[in-house]
Amino acid sequence: MIEHGGGDASSTVISPKLFDRFVAPYDGPLTQLAHAAGQRVVYHTCGGMMPFLERIADLGVDAMETFTPRGMGGDADLKAAKRRIGERVCMIGGFDQLHFFNGCSAEATRQEVRRCFAEAGAGGGFILSPSDHFFAADLALLEAFADEARRCLY
């Protein structure tokens, strides 16, 4: 598996028109080459993706991430994304680790896990994951995240 895309392909940086002109003509063929070599492709955007969800799926990628929520500076709406592209690609991310790995109750973390799964988990094709790097976390909240995630079954 390889990860492709990046910040320069995020709607927080470029418009759909620029994506169509400068990203898709290159990333689509690169995705096809990776598939020809037996690789699966995960497409990464740094927080912004809602204006071009379908355009990214049209590249032929196998999965997309980060689905960063608005509370962390992204634009993801898991429920809308699932409806729009959930049958076409695997969705990875969506969890707000900024607000739910520190400074809250274990129950709040569990509720956030359940919210993510309720919005994007139906029918499969969703991998719950923090939507960005994190450098500090309350161990009890990580444990609550993992424990609750284990309970989310398709």
Side-chain angles (χ1 to χ4, degrees):
M1 178 182 82
I2 62 169
E3 187 170 290
H4 193 44
D8 60 341
S10 298
S11 64
T12 53
V13 178
I14 64 171
S15 69
K17 184 176 179 179
L18 287 176
F19 183 91
D20 291 343
R21 182 167 179 198
F22 294 106
V23 177
Y26 302 96
D27 288 357
L30 287 173
T31 298
Q32 292 172 1
L33 287 169
H35 283 155
Q39 296 290 310
R40 296 198 185 262
V41 178
V42 176
Y43 203 86
H44 173 88
T45 59
C46 290
M49 60 196 323
M50 294 304 287
F52 20 87
L53 284 175
E54 292 83 1
R55 287 170 166 92
I56 296 170
D58 289 344
L59 298 175
V61 299
D62 302 290
M64 294 166 54
E65 59 104 13
T66 63
F67 293 94
T68 303
R70 287 181 176 89
M72 289 184 52
D75 67 357
D77 177 331
L78 284 177
K79 191 173 189 177
K82 180 69 172 188
R83 184 182 70 252
R84 289 170 52 190
I85 56 141
E87 296 293 321
R88 298 175 60 193
V89 299
C90 176
M91 296 170 52
I92 303 170
F95 183 81
D96 180 343
Q97 74 277 3
L98 179 65
H99 297 100
F100 296 99
F101 278 172
N102 289 291
C104 71
S105 68
E107 182 55 32
T109 297
R110 290 176 182 280
Q111 287 175 0
E112 177 67 358
V113 167
R114 288 191 300 268
R115 180 198 65 81
C116 291
F117 192 76
E119 291 185 6
F126 175 61
I127 299 171
L128 175 68
S129 164
S131 59
D132 202 348
H133 301 292
F134 61 94
F135 303 100
D138 179 330
L139 180 58
L141 299 179
L142 288 173
E143 290 170 346
F145 170 85
D147 181 60
E148 195 64 34
R150 274 189 219 98
R151 300 168 195 247
C152 295
L153 304 173
Y154 297 112

